[in-house]
């Protein structure tokens, strides 16, 4: 019995040590920043940046890694203090519940080993989350709510138009007040059960990407094996998302799903983080035809920051992608969709947002166009389409 107790104690110590060491190490490997802060821009660019009233980003996976987002981090790309330093008003915190081993842009199997399972265990999460996608999703949702509660009024969880209006008004007198919204990256998190859509809605989720890197119960991924369109279950989910006013996110969806959704949705869609094929010809990215159809739908497109979405060097190609959408359909349809903390290397963390303003100024964008891209488009879109 004594040996058993000692063995259990040793195992517990090893597990406890692993929860402290392993998640930070994995995150530091998966989410590098190519150029560390601080970042410097011209006086004109900084002056324009300082005049921006509302800065927003449509995609960040920071909830996955187990960091305390109320504290300034030394790894990763986003946390509340860095949002405040960058004067970012609103961040869409997206929930990753499953990721295939060997993840790539071309073809992934839904049966591949799931990378998130060992990370979930290593973070010391409840055993109830170890093998349940919906439980992982609800746990990450609760984490954001907990972080916001810790802020004691300095942060707002945006679930509806009234919350967003409260955020906008509060920042007029206190720009340190920030907002967060919840999204899901991949509707496999619903586990094929429509009732789980109600559960995530109650948890505050207001955007769901129908697929991620592999095919699921709703249909085909752009990086999956079938390239299929919406299944009957997928159509049922889209209809209910429209009813609940949960935004459909078409990032990572097969071209057939994109067509199917645009043919049936009664609400504007989001593409939260993407590139455009005119800048980088990849199955990850949107064609001109898709961009035009999304604009016709009244949707909004977030441009991602990593090389597999925009190419290298990233910053000029981010600007080129924004410019392409502006020239094709209009400035009102484009926004920022960084994919920060999404297992990607990025050119700068969120405190480097002024570099985007400088890049757009050099490319001949007007101040009003820059304001639109940096957040005014997102503010308008959500004010028009949230409940």
């Amino acid at each position: 019995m004594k040996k058993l107790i000692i063995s259990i104690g040793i195992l517990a110590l090893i597990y406890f040590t692993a929860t402290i060491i392993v998640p930070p190490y994995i995150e530091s490997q998966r989410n590098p920043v190519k150029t560390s802060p601080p970042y410097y821009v011209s006086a004109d660019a900084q002056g324009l940046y300082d005049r921006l009233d509302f800065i927003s980003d449509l995609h960040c996976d920071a909830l996955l890694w187990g960091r305390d987002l109320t504290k300034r981090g030394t790894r990763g790309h986003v946390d509340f203090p860095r949002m405040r330093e960058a004067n970012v008003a609103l961040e869409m915190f997206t929930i990753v519940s499953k990721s295939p081993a060997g993840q790539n842009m071309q073809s992934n199997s839904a049966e591949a080993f799931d990378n998130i399972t060992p990370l979930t265990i290593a973070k010391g999460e409840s055993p109830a989350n170890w093998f349940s996608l919906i439980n992982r999703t609800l746990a990450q949702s609760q984490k954001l709510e907990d972080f916001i509660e810790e802020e004691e009024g300095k942060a707002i969880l945006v679930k509806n138009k009234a919350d967003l209006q409260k955020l906008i008004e509060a920042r007029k007198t206190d720009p340190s007040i920030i907002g967060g919204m919840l999204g899901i990256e991949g509707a496999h998190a619903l586990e094929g059960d429509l009732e789980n859509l109600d559960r995530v809605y109650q948890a505050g989720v207001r955007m769901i990407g129908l697929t991620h890197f592999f095919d699921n119960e709703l249909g085909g991924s752009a990086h999956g094996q079938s390239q299929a369109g919406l299944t009957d279950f997928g159509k049922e989910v889209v209809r209910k998302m429209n009813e609940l006013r949960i935004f459909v996110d078409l990032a990572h969806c097969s071209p057939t799903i994109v067509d199917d959704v645009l043919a049936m949705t009664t609400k504007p869609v989001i593409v939260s983080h993407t590139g455009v094929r005119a800048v980088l010809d990849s199955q990850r990215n949107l064609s001109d035809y898709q961009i035009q159809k999304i604009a016709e739908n009244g949707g909004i497109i977030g441009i991602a920051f990593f090389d597999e979405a925009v190419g290298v060097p990233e910053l000029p190609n981010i600007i080129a992608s924004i410019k392409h959408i502006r020239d094709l359909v209009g400035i009102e349809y484009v926004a920022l969709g960084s994919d920060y903390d999404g297992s990607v290397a990025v050119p700068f963390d969120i405190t480097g947002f002024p570099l985007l303003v400088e890049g757009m100024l050099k490319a001949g964008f007007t101040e009003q166009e820059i304001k639109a891209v940096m957040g005014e488009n997102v503010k308008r879109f959500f004010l028009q389409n949230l409940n």
Side-chain angles (χ1 to χ4, degrees):
M1 179 62 71
K2 184 178 180 181
K3 288 183 178 179
L4 177 61
I5 293 172
I6 292 172
S7 297
I8 291 172
I10 291 171
L11 289 172
L13 179 61
I14 292 171
Y15 178 62
F16 177 73
T17 303
T19 63
I20 296 173
I21 296 173
V22 173
Y25 174 77
I26 293 174
E27 183 183 14
S28 65
Q29 297 300 303
R30 294 293 184 91
N31 292 315
V33 180
K34 293 188 177 183
T35 301
S36 299
Y39 307 103
Y40 301 100
V41 297
S42 68
D44 285 346
Q46 189 62 56
L48 198 164
Y49 191 86
D50 292 341
R51 293 194 295 275
L52 298 176
D53 296 322
F54 194 90
I55 302 170
S56 183
D57 177 42
L58 284 173
H59 198 98
C60 167
D61 294 334
L63 292 170
L64 175 62
W65 304 102
R67 271 189 291 125
D68 182 349
L69 298 185
T70 68
K71 305 291 192 298
R72 188 182 185 92
T74 57
R75 60 184 187 277
H77 310 144
V78 175
D79 49 48
F80 291 179
R82 282 184 278 185
M83 284 178 65
R84 291 190 173 101
E85 180 181 331
N87 196 29
V88 173
L90 181 66
E91 180 66 69
M92 178 71 78
F93 290 97
T94 39
I95 297 164
V96 178
S97 63
K98 183 178 177 180
S99 173
Q103 180 175 296
N104 62 86
M105 292 293 175
Q106 287 72 45
S107 180
N108 300 271
S109 169
E111 305 307 315
F113 178 79
D114 171 35
N115 290 323
I116 307 302
T117 298
L119 179 61
T120 301
I121 296 170
K123 286 191 296 180
E125 291 194 23
S126 164
N129 301 344
W130 289 5
F131 307 106
S132 168
L133 303 185
I134 186 62
N135 286 354
R136 293 176 191 175
T137 300
L138 294 172
Q140 288 187 47
S141 301
Q142 186 61 52
K143 286 299 291 185
L144 182 62
E145 189 161 354
D146 292 344
F147 291 143
I148 285 175
E149 285 183 5
E150 286 181 42
E151 291 287 300
E152 298 181 339
K154 290 288 189 176
I156 296 170
L157 181 60
V158 175
K159 298 181 181 181
N160 51 47
K161 187 188 300 184
D163 292 333
L164 180 56
Q165 290 169 329
K166 179 182 176 183
L167 173 66
I168 294 165
E169 287 303 311
R171 284 180 57 83
K172 290 178 179 178
T173 54
D174 186 355
S176 70
I177 296 175
I178 56 174
M181 291 182 69
L182 276 168
I184 292 175
E185 188 148 34
H188 49 268
L190 302 177
E191 297 183 337
D193 186 346
L194 196 63
E195 290 185 3
N196 283 333
L197 192 59
D198 290 307
R199 296 177 71 189
V200 299
Y201 178 81
Q202 291 302 318
V205 169
R206 294 297 181 267
M207 180 184 80
I208 299 177
L210 302 187
T211 61
H212 195 204
F213 272 92
F214 50 89
D215 304 336
N216 63 29
E217 298 91 344
L218 284 79
S221 164
H223 327 284
Q225 296 178 320
S226 71
Q227 297 298 310
L230 286 172
T231 63
D232 289 342
F233 178 68
K235 293 174 183 176
E236 195 174 4
V237 170
V238 169
R239 281 191 287 268
K240 187 156 188 178
M241 287 174 67
N242 282 173
E243 177 187 324
L244 293 172
R245 293 287 186 97
I246 300 174
F247 297 105
V248 175
D249 180 8
L250 295 176
H252 293 291
C253 288
S254 71
T256 314
I257 280 191
V258 174
D259 289 343
D260 288 349
V261 168
L262 292 173
M264 69 172 290
T265 183
T266 60
K267 305 296 180 185
V269 301
I270 293 174
V271 187
S272 68
H273 59 307
T274 189
V276 299
R277 295 197 180 192
V279 173
L280 182 67
D281 189 8
S282 162
Q283 67 194 74
R284 171 73 178 79
N285 291 342
L286 295 175
S287 68
D288 284 0
Y289 170 79
Q290 290 172 325
I291 294 167
Q292 289 167 330
K293 296 298 288 185
I294 290 162
E296 289 173 13
N297 161 267
I300 193 166
I301 299 167
I303 296 299
F305 294 179
F306 60 98
D307 57 11
E308 289 182 298
V310 296
V312 179
E314 292 92 348
L315 181 56
N317 288 335
I318 293 167
I319 306 305
S321 302
I322 293 168
K323 182 177 184 297
H324 181 75
I325 294 176
R326 180 199 68 180
D327 294 347
L328 184 66
V329 294
I331 196 67
E332 63 266 37
Y333 301 105
V334 64
L336 306 180
S338 65
D339 200 20
Y340 276 152
D341 294 310
S343 292
V344 292
V346 293
F348 46 81
D349 73 10
I350 198 167
T351 64
F353 269 16
L355 295 167
L356 296 166
V357 169
E358 184 165 64
M360 283 187 276
L361 274 177
K362 288 179 178 178
F365 284 69
T366 68
E367 181 163 340
Q368 286 307 114
E369 288 175 330
I370 292 171
K371 285 183 175 181
V373 173
M374 294 300 294
E376 290 297 323
N377 285 343
V378 170
K379 180 172 75 173
R380 171 186 46 78
F381 180 86
F382 285 143
L383 286 174
Q384 289 175 349
N385 295 298
L386 281 167
N387 274 335

